[in-house]
Amino acid sequence: MTRRPGSLPERPGLTVAVADATDPAAVDAAVAGTDAVLSALAPRSRIATTPGTGRRG
């Protein structure tokens, strides 16, 4: 499951679903009927950054 379908290359046996991981109903629909789900979710950092620099602190 991804928000950006072009970010994952096509592979035999892999089905890519497009959905918003923060929407429980969308996730349920995207994974319904699957045998397995691979998760590589990387939540955004909650550490404040300096505006315009991307630097922490």
Side-chain angles (χ1 to χ4, degrees), residues 1 3 19-27 41:
M1 191 175 80
R3 290 178 290 163
D20 180 350
T22 64
D23 179 350
V27 174
L41 179 66

Side-chain angles (χ1 to χ4, degrees), residues 2 10 16 18 21-22 24 26-27 35-36 38-39 44-45 49 52-53 56:
T2 183
E10 291 185 25
V16 177
V18 179
T22 64
V27 174
D35 294 323
L38 179 67
S39 175
R44 292 187 174 121
S45 173
T49 59
T53 67
R56 294 179 179 185

